Amino acid sequence: MCRNGEGFVKFPHTKVPDTSGVPAFVDMSIGLKQCEEECLRNCSCMAYASANSDTNGGVGCLTWYGDLVDARAYTVTGQDLYLRVDKNELAQYRKKGVLQKKGVLAVVIVSSALVFLLLVTFFCCLVTRQRRGVLTAERSRKGKNNISLTTFEDSLGEKEIRESTGTGDLPYFDLSTIAAATNNFSSDNKLGQGGFGPVYKGVLLNGNEIAVKRLSKHSGQGGVEEFKNEILLIAKLQHRNLVRMLGCCIDGEEKMLIYEFLPNKSLDTIIFDESKRSLLDWKKRFNIICGIARGMLYLHQDSRLRVIHRDLKASNVLLDATMNPKISDFGMARIFGGDQIEGETKRVVGTYGYMSPEYAMQGHFSTKSDVYSFGILLLEIITGKKISSYFPDSPSLNLVGHVWELWKEGKAMEVVDSTLGDSCSSDEILKCIQIGLLCVQEHATHRPTMSTVVSILSNEATLPSPEQPAFIENKSRKGDEISSSEGTNSVNTVSITMIQAR
């Protein structure tokens, strides 16, 4: 039962507790004041914080129920964490001048050695428990060292690494370990080539398989920026449909990211291969579609960060041993905070054919830009055709235009991959085609959100009729000067790494 007089003490400059494996909930519709009231009414609620990492009390509520794991204190960075205490402890904090001021800018003045000692003791206990648990076992098993953020930022020359990651160290692999695992980066171990650089398969001494993304020495500043961006983002994101980063390696000019190895490589190597795409029956394809949608929903809404991927495509969806999809490559992603729902850039990055019209033409991007890319990817999965495919009967149309014309004529099932045969559900496929067409509408406001897409995929629903999609004509022509940063595995389209928006 809740006891009378309970309240919250604010700990500033804090890395908030882990949300994976611990009951924690987020509500982006309420502010910090309402968050406190909701947490106080629930006796199981142990702590709360702003869900958007805004130390000034922004919109969004993140609450924890049960043990608080992996919380840390800093002197400058971090955010405010509000910890539940009983009335006696609350009275002690008030006497020492640690007060909560509600509805205005939160300010905590730690004015005595006792309060400081209690704060240090609290977080030392949490760190000790965490070190006895999962991380200690994992690092011991893999024989890793730790690379401090100071060393990392010195290597990259960027102090925001420390401020953005909010962690004390990064999982680190020695260069000799990675070289041995990849047979000194043998061409036989090369999995593919992306804008970031080559990707190699490796096997550690303990038998664990890894994938190593090696920053190309010719990538320039753009490659370094993507390297940093990927570390800052993916290390904070945990979801079964996102690829998992195991660590990094930084040694002089060598900069590498180490990921879990996914044996079935990327989706494009199967779905666009005449000899392999029969491996994906409709049930597997539908599961892949649903998995990608859930991963994107997590990025847009359910994670503590609101992330715009900006380069969702078939080659950036990896498949594990059971064909479960995992979204990868966050080098071009952007973080949105608070109430921000859209942004603008003069540096348009992404892949031709997957980019929404407002992004490709004007540099405007939002969650709806990712929705557009998802719609293209969905249609490719259903048809087994690339967005840039040529259709002899409709030479002026790309894939979207071809699907749209057949949809209007009531012949949409004609676009379905012939390898699926007659065993697939026509109702389910037609629903997916309609979702795809809704996702590629010309106006962003006419496209559904990823939460709506996930709901429609999981339930029976009446869908609106799509309007004519954007970019239905095949505009590609000889002489287009778009430099490709894609390699052998990314054969669907070319990535644009630097274009000035009109």
Side-chain angles (χ1 to χ4, degrees), residues 10-17 19 25-28 30-32 35 48-64 74 76-82 105-106 162-167 232-233 236-237 301-307 335-340:
K10 181 172 73 172
F11 292 93
H13 308 307
T14 302
K15 176 189 178 296
V16 298
T19 57
F25 299 94
V26 64
D27 187 345
M28 297 302 295
I30 63 176
L32 206 58
C35 187
Y48 73 91
S50 172
N52 60 12
S53 303
D54 186 350
T55 57
N56 296 320
V59 174
C61 173
L62 184 61
T63 52
W64 287 265
Y74 299 102
V76 179
T77 59
Q79 68 181 94
D80 295 337
L81 174 69
Y82 297 84
L105 178 66
R162 180 190 297 276
E163 298 173 357
S164 299
T165 56
T167 58
L232 299 183
L233 274 174
K236 295 181 179 182
L237 302 173
Q301 178 177 308
D302 293 342
S303 67
R304 199 163 62 85
L305 306 172
R306 178 178 293 172
V307 179
I335 301 175
F336 278 0
D339 291 330
Q340 186 181 7

Side-chain angles (χ1 to χ4, degrees), residues 15 17 76 98 100 117 177 205 213 249 267 296 338 365 373 378 387 420:
K15 176 189 178 296
V76 179
V98 182
Q100 285 187 311
L117 180 61
T177 301
L205 291 178
K213 289 178 67 173
C249 175
L267 177 61
M296 294 305 298
F365 62 92
S373 302
L378 191 157
I387 178 60
L420 293 178

